[in-house]
Amino acid sequence: MKWHYALGALGVLFLGTGHAWGLFFAPPEFMMGDVGRILYAHVPTAWNAMLVYLFAFVAAIGTLWTSKSSWESWLVGFVEVGVVLNILLCFQGAMWAKPTWGVYWDWDPRLTTTAILIALFAGVLIQRNLFHAPDKRRIITGVTAVIAFVNVPIVYFATTWWNSLHQGLSSPDTVSNPMHWPLRVSAFGVLFLAVAFSAERAKQERARLEREDTAPTLPLAQKQLELGAE
Amino acid sequence: MSSNNMTSRLFLVGALLVAGGGLAFVAMSDMGENLVYYWEPTQLMEAGEDAYGAQIRLAGLVETDSLVWDEPSQTVKLVVVDANEVKVPVIAHGAPPQMLREGIGVVVEGTYTQAGIFEADQLLVKHSNEYKAPEEGATADELYQTLEQDFKTN
């Protein structure tokens, strides 16, 4: 099934359209001028990072409930793409923060919880690679992903629960009309691309797990490994 | 169903309980009371004597007609005001962010002196979540309503 290639192509198309629209046709932001155009990259990245982590959470529940490698592969795909979006988010934010707030970074509640989010989900991937027994590894990946997800609503509500330097949640009411559509189109572009990349990584992971499953056991090598470990 | 499957489901229930408990703890607890990123002028005044000399973050809106940039000494003078109309004069050293203007939000970091002036080592601009197209003759405080509400509801 190559549906995700089509989805990825659609993502590139949407993202290209949304960004061209935002860069060349939408008006500059009243206060920030042209710098404000990073809105079309940063806000879609933020929304989709949270959304992809939500997908990972659902996949983690599916993985633990069914113990199926198909769910587990999707889980890995979503967590990886989520971490990439999350890291991008922080760099885009830093680029935007310097000319507007005056600093690249500040330990305000939103930024701090977002940085912790990278550590948590990167931790899920690191944990996963520490275990080689398939059942143990699957459970560890699922459990850590479910627990890491707790921080996602905390990041989302950070600007509501605590006072912060970061602005509050954007909504159609707070974004001026000519900026709505480039923002929405860019957001769908990032979503399609994120799902396409996750699907590709899930496919690769599924193949890897199957290879692992059907690989002949090597009693001697196993024994040597165990001896070496002691 | 195999016993492996059962173990996995038990772990799922355990993980969900830990996750739900953790989130409920953060949401319900008084962390907001203890985790304070900044004070507003009202809270600074309420702190009384304790406010002097301590490293503090202060936030509010830049009052209209209060902003002065003194080029030779590289100093910004402004007055930070909150919803209760409590005002604190601020002196900040160094070139300010380009976005600094009257009516916009700021977060300043520094100390409150006995002279009643806030000496800031760092001045940050707090933008609102409103993104607006330019309008003829509009001023910052007309366009950025939520920022004012921020400092009104707190």
Side-chain angles (χ1 to χ4, degrees):
Chain A
M1 268 238 297
K2 302 278 183 173
W3 61 269
H4 64 285
Y5 291 164
L7 190 67
L10 197 64
V12 171
L13 187 71
F14 269 61
L15 196 61
T17 309
H19 280 185
W21 194 338
L23 280 175
F24 305 115
F25 303 106
E29 209 275 334
F30 169 70
M31 186 78 73
M32 297 183 276
D34 284 335
V35 167
R37 294 178 195 275
I38 201 167
L39 172 80
Y40 307 113
H42 187 65
V43 175
T45 307
W47 286 341
N48 284 296
M50 300 304 124
L51 198 57
V52 168
Y53 282 143
L54 178 66
F55 296 161
F57 176 67
V58 172
I61 293 174
T63 302
L64 291 173
W65 189 256
T66 65
S67 296
K68 284 199 175 130
S69 62
S70 50
W71 279 103
E72 188 186 2
S73 313
W74 273 106
L75 169 58
V76 172
F78 285 135
V79 172
E80 285 183 359
V81 170
V83 170
V84 170
L85 286 174
N86 201 344
I87 292 169
L88 282 174
L89 181 66
C90 288
F91 278 98
Q92 295 164 348
M95 284 159 60
W96 199 0
K98 182 65 182 171
T100 52
W101 299 345
V103 287
Y104 287 109
W105 184 266
D106 190 73
W107 294 103
D108 98 322
R110 171 55 75 73
L111 274 63
T112 307
T113 50
T114 307
I116 292 171
L117 201 55
I118 298 178
L120 286 174
F121 277 97
V124 173
L125 296 174
I126 293 167
Q127 286 262 27
R128 179 176 173 76
N129 285 301
L130 294 178
F131 291 85
H132 293 287
D135 287 334
K136 216 183 248 179
R137 183 179 55 199
R138 188 177 55 242
I139 291 174
I140 284 286
T141 312
V143 167
T144 49
V146 166
I147 292 174
F149 183 76
V150 173
N151 195 25
V152 171
I154 296 175
V155 167
Y156 189 80
F157 288 113
T159 55
T160 315
W161 289 346
W162 304 295
N163 55 33
S164 60
L165 176 62
H166 194 284
Q167 50 266 53
L169 305 165
S170 317
S171 74
D173 296 334
T174 67
V175 180
S176 180
N177 265 327
M179 301 176 177
H180 277 179
W181 282 104
L183 183 58
R184 282 194 187 126
V185 172
S186 304
F188 277 104
V190 176
L191 175 64
F192 297 158
L193 271 174
V195 173
F197 276 115
S198 305
E200 177 62 22
R201 284 296 298 129
K203 192 182 86 180
Q204 292 169 1
E205 184 66 12
R206 199 154 45 238
R208 200 182 67 82
L209 290 174
E210 273 163 22
R211 269 203 310 279
E212 206 178 71
D213 216 29
T214 53
T217 45
L218 299 168
L220 187 63
Q222 184 79 26
K223 203 156 201 168
Q224 281 171 338
L225 270 175
E226 278 163 15
L227 283 174
E230 272 165 26
Chain B
M1 195 168 66
S2 71
S3 69
N4 258 340
N5 240 325
M6 202 60 215
T7 315
S8 182
R9 287 185 186 182
L10 281 175
F11 270 108
L12 170 61
V13 173
L16 285 173
L17 285 176
V18 172
L23 185 62
F25 174 75
V26 176
M28 309 294 181
S29 72
D30 292 335
M31 258 168 90
E33 304 291 311
N34 299 319
L35 255 177
V36 178
Y37 175 68
Y38 59 66
W39 273 356
E40 287 169 31
T42 305
Q43 290 158 307
L44 183 72
M45 290 305 146
E46 279 168 2
E49 287 286 314
D50 292 341
Y52 297 119
Q55 189 74 12
I56 292 168
R57 278 198 205 93
L58 177 77
L61 298 173
V62 180
E63 201 190 22
T64 315
D65 296 330
S66 77
L67 184 63
V68 181
W69 162 239
D70 185 50
E71 181 114 38
S73 66
Q74 297 278 299
T75 311
V76 183
K77 282 185 192 163
L78 54 84
V79 174
V80 169
V81 59
D82 67 10
N84 304 325
E85 293 290 317
V86 179
K87 294 168 189 180
V88 175
V90 174
I91 293 180
H93 304 283
Q98 279 181 6
M99 289 230 317
L100 183 67
R101 65 198 71 191
E102 286 161 359
I104 204 169
V106 283
V107 178
V108 289
E109 210 174 321
T111 50
Y112 190 53
T113 61
Q114 296 277 359
I117 291 168
F118 194 95
E119 294 263 2
D121 344 298
Q122 195 177 41
L123 190 158
L124 306 178
V125 167
K126 180 173 157 65
H127 191 266
S128 86
N129 60 346
E130 292 161 286
Y131 306 96
K132 303 292 176 196
E135 272 172 49
E136 204 66 36
T139 61
D141 47 342
E142 281 165 15
L143 281 175
Y144 296 95
Q145 298 292 328
T146 58
L147 203 59
E148 285 192 32
Q149 279 159 19
D150 259 8
F151 290 108
K152 275 181 180 140
T153 48
N154 282 343

